[in-house]
């Protein structure tokens, strides 16, 4: 039986049967009308016309309030879908919230249906033989045969990979731990397990913050809707070939890809460094070593198209190379925002090795640091002394320029008759320079209050004798 007629069964008693009973009563009333059949059938036709116009008007009116539509095309779709629903000829009705299908369709027929997506959701549609289109937040009227191929969450997402904070990945099976729990703990251990160049094991928990490649407000939505990014995320999902064909977990969700790429970048970078380079026992004189450098390189690989090219020993060659991780994420429509390394785990052997190295080297390192600090302190003291002498000389001789320019224009007779006045003038200018130095320095102005008063008294005495 065709899908259209199959979908009529649930609505037979609720919609079609009352309509047929009403039509039958009107027909019988017209057939046995007291004023004749002609007038009875005329009234029947008029009633049917009025009934049809009324039903059409009220269906068109109420259809505008069933779903949030805002253009003529969607309003017409809402009207026709409401008519189809009343007669049982309708497709699936889906509600998608935060990237999850909250209400599964009650019918899987090939008839057109309705989808309602909140502001944080988008989906990819398909038919039985091809993908059709990406749809975003709002009301979507599906075409006959269309169904959901996948849904995505448009919000910023956070995913962690690796051991949980409360578990020890190096511990043997515990008494209260079953085989399945132990295997799950070992699987989380293998997700981020990395080996250094000198064969030491390091296991962190990696956190990745990401979202689909769209700007806030794009597509007139709060979180941003980019149809191309939605299409790439759904169509680019990875298939786990190790699982059977009928296993739902065979298709890896799109939002697990960033954490997996971050773990791959972590393993590749750790393999280029030794334990001493990752956890130096002394402060690193070169910036391109240590855990922070590795974390920055991981961020670059997942967020930038070009990254520094490292050799097999972890040294920067000065060249750049295309980032494979960034290229993969871009082709999947994903944009990574931040990467963090959390809860770094080391095996007991590695911890003992680090403690031994730090215990052996901390005293020598402390002495080197003290000598370095003493050298820097002496250099700063010498520089400060030179700066103070320069400022003192410049300020003290500030008033001498006018004195020498005036003295060069004096006559020889005046030079012979006023040596005392010249000496007094030189002394006054020196005292005024010292007073200006105290006034221009807030620290000296506070500490040299008595000296300032004495200089002012000397200036007053010399000026009074000059009169």
């Amino acid at each position: 039986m065709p899908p259209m007629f199959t979908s009529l069964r649930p609505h037979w008693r609720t919609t079609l049967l009352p309509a047929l009973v009403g039509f039958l009563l009107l027909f019988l009333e017209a057939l046995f009308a007291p004023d004749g059949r002609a007038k009875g059938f005329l009234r029947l036709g008029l009633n049917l016309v009025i009934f049809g116009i009324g039903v059409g008007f009220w269906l068109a009116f109420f259809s505008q309030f069933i779903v949030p539509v805002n253009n003529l095309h969607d309003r017409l779709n809402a009207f026709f879908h409401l008519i189809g629903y009343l007669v049982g000829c309708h497709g699936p009705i889906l509600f998608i919230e935060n990237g999850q299908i909250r209400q599964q369709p009650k019918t899987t027929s090939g008839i057109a249906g309705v989808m309602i997506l909140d502001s944080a959701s988008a989906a990819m549609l398909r038919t039985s033989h091809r993908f059709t289109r990406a749809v975003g937040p709002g009301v979507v009227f599906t075409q006959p045969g269309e169904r959901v191929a996948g849904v995505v969450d448009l919000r910023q997402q956070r995913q962690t990979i690796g051991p949980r904070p409360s578990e020890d990945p190096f511990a043997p099976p515990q008494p209260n731990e079953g085989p399945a729990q132990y295997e799950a703990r070992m699987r989380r251990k293998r997700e981020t397990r990395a080996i250094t160049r000198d064969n030491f094991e390091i296991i962190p928990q990696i956190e990745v913050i990401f979202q689909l490649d769209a700007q806030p407000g794009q597509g007139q939505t709060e979180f941003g809707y980019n149809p191309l990014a939605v299409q790439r995320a759904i169509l680019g999902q990875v298939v786990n070939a190790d699982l059977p064909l009928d296993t739902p977990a065979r298709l890896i969700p799109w939002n697990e890809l960033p954490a997996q790429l971050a773990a791959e970048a972590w393993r590749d970078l750790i393999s280029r460094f030794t334990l001493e380079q990752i956890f130096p026992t002394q402060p690193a004189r070169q910036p391109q070593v240590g855990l922070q450098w590795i974390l920055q390189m991981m961020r670059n690989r997942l967020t930038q198209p070009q990254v520094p090219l490292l050799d097999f020993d972890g040294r920067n060659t000065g060249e750049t190379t295309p980032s494979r991780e960034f290229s993969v994420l871009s082709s999947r429509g994903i944009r990574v925002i931040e990467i963090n390394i959390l809860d770094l785990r080391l095996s007991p052997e590695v911890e003992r090795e680090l403690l031994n190295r730090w215990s052996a080297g901390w005293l020598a390192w402390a002495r080197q640091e003290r000598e370095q600090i003493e050298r820097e302190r002496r250099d700063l003291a010498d520089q400060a002394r030179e700066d103070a002498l320069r400022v003192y000389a410049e300020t003290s001789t500030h008033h001498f320029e006018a004195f020498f320019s005036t003295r060069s224009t004096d006559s020889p007779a005046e030079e012979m008759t006023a040596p005392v006045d010249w000496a007094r003038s030189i002394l006054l200018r020196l005292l005024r320079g010292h007073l200006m130095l105290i006034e221009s320095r807030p620290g000296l102005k506070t500490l040299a209050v008595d000296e300032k008063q004495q200089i002012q008294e000397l200036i007053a005495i010399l000026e009074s004798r000059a009169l």
Side-chain angles (χ1 to χ4, degrees):
M1 183 177 293
M4 180 179 297
F5 294 101
T6 303
S7 62
L8 291 177
R9 292 178 178 178
H11 292 260
W12 172 258
R13 296 181 180 179
T14 58
T15 305
L16 297 181
L17 184 59
L20 290 176
V21 171
F23 175 77
L24 181 59
L25 292 176
L26 290 176
F27 179 78
L28 293 175
E29 190 274 335
L31 186 61
F32 300 101
D35 53 353
R37 292 183 179 179
K39 292 184 178 181
F41 282 105
L42 181 61
R43 284 194 304 270
L44 175 62
L46 182 60
N47 289 334
L48 291 177
V49 171
I50 295 174
F51 175 78
I53 294 175
V55 169
F57 172 79
W58 289 112
L59 286 178
F61 177 78
F62 287 111
S63 65
Q64 310 307 306
F65 305 97
I66 297 176
V67 291
V69 291
N70 53 13
N71 58 66
L72 181 59
H73 182 265
D74 289 344
R75 294 180 188 277
L76 292 175
N77 275 326
F79 171 67
F80 291 122
H81 278 71
L82 180 58
I83 294 177
Y85 180 80
L86 290 178
V87 299
C89 185
H90 64 86
I93 301 175
L94 290 85
F95 294 89
I96 301 178
E97 181 181 5
N98 296 332
Q100 300 291 331
I101 301 178
R102 296 304 180 188
Q103 181 173 338
Q104 294 292 341
K106 296 181 180 180
T107 177
T108 58
S109 65
I111 307 174
V114 180
M115 296 174 54
I116 300 178
L117 302 91
D118 70 348
S119 60
S121 302
M124 187 71 190
L125 304 182
R126 62 166 300 170
T127 60
S128 58
H129 58 280
R130 68 183 182 90
F131 292 93
T132 56
R133 52 180 173 147
V135 294
V139 179
V140 178
F141 297 96
T142 61
Q143 301 298 321
E146 276 188 327
R147 61 178 184 270
V148 176
V151 294
V152 296
D153 191 342
L154 300 178
R155 298 174 300 174
Q156 190 176 108
Q157 300 189 50
R158 186 187 307 266
Q159 186 185 18
T160 57
I161 188 173
R164 295 173 180 173
S166 59
E167 65 185 18
D168 183 4
F170 299 98
Q174 302 299 309
N176 58 347
E177 187 179 41
Q181 294 175 330
Y182 175 73
E183 178 58 30
R185 179 158 62 88
M186 292 298 99
R187 177 180 52 80
R188 289 189 290 270
K189 171 185 177 180
R190 293 189 295 269
E191 286 177 346
T192 58
R193 179 176 179 267
I195 305 297
T196 64
R197 188 154 52 91
D198 49 352
N199 203 32
F200 288 101
E201 188 177 18
I202 304 177
I203 302 174
Q205 185 183 62
I206 301 176
E207 178 189 60
V208 183
I209 303 174
F210 62 96
Q211 67 178 138
L212 285 181
D213 191 10
Q215 299 299 324
Q218 186 177 358
Q220 299 179 352
T221 61
E222 177 184 358
F223 304 103
Y225 165 64
N226 183 358
L228 182 58
V230 175
Q231 179 178 345
R232 287 177 174 177
I234 299 298
L235 300 185
Q237 293 183 106
V238 181
V239 176
N240 189 351
D242 297 332
L243 297 178
L245 295 175
D246 56 349
T247 304
R250 180 180 172 86
L251 191 63
I252 301 176
W254 68 274
N255 53 6
E256 293 185 5
L257 179 63
Q260 293 180 356
L261 289 177
E264 291 180 6
W266 161 259
R267 283 189 285 266
D268 177 64
L269 290 169
I270 288 296
S271 65
R272 300 171 185 265
F273 295 90
T274 63
L275 188 66
E276 173 64 25
Q277 290 176 309
I278 300 172
F279 302 103
T281 56
Q282 297 184 8
R285 301 303 179 186
Q286 298 179 354
Q288 297 176 358
V289 294
L291 192 60
Q292 292 298 324
W293 165 252
I294 294 175
L295 177 59
Q296 184 59 46
M297 287 299 299
M298 289 176 59
R299 291 170 177 167
N300 292 343
R301 284 194 177 193
L302 271 73
T303 60
Q304 297 181 10
Q306 296 286 331
V307 295
L309 179 62
L310 305 181
D311 59 15
F312 291 104
D313 295 330
R315 292 188 295 265
N316 191 348
T317 61
E319 302 177 359
T320 60
T321 182
S323 173
R324 184 188 69 86
E325 292 81 4
F326 180 83
S327 176
V328 172
L329 290 172
S330 298
S331 65
R332 301 298 190 272
I334 303 172
R335 175 168 54 90
V336 170
I337 301 173
E338 183 60 77
I339 301 175
N340 297 308
I341 295 178
L342 310 174
D343 201 13
L344 194 67
R345 305 297 184 90
L346 305 174
S347 65
E349 295 79 9
V350 176
E351 291 184 355
R352 286 195 294 269
E353 178 71 18
L354 287 177
L355 287 176
N356 293 335
R357 292 184 182 182
W358 288 335
S359 299
W362 76 269
L363 183 59
W365 169 75
R367 289 174 177 173
Q368 293 177 3
E369 287 297 309
R370 184 180 65 181
E371 294 175 358
Q372 179 67 21
I373 293 174
E374 286 295 328
R375 286 194 296 270
E376 293 178 355
R377 186 189 63 81
R378 288 193 298 267
D379 293 342
L380 289 175
D382 294 341
Q383 184 64 36
R385 189 179 298 107
E386 293 178 2
D387 293 342
L389 290 174
R390 178 179 54 79
V391 172
Y392 174 76
E394 292 177 354
T395 309
S396 300
T397 59
H398 177 74
H399 297 279
F400 277 85
E401 182 178 354
F403 170 76
F404 287 111
S405 61
T406 303
R407 187 174 184 273
S408 62
T409 59
D410 293 340
S411 63
E414 291 175 345
E415 293 181 2
M416 296 299 296
T417 57
V420 177
D421 294 337
W422 295 336
R424 185 184 298 111
S425 178
I426 292 174
L427 183 57
L428 279 172
R429 282 170 169 78
L430 284 174
L431 292 173
R432 287 169 181 158
H434 284 70
L435 185 61
M436 185 180 70
L437 177 62
I438 295 174
E439 291 287 348
S440 62
R441 302 285 172 170
L444 285 177
K445 191 174 182 181
T446 303
L447 297 175
V449 177
D450 296 337
E451 290 80 356
K452 176 182 176 181
Q453 184 177 359
Q454 293 174 3
I455 292 174
Q456 290 175 341
E457 292 176 355
L458 287 174
I459 291 176
I461 292 173
L462 292 174
E463 288 178 346
S464 62
R465 291 184 178 181
L467 300 175

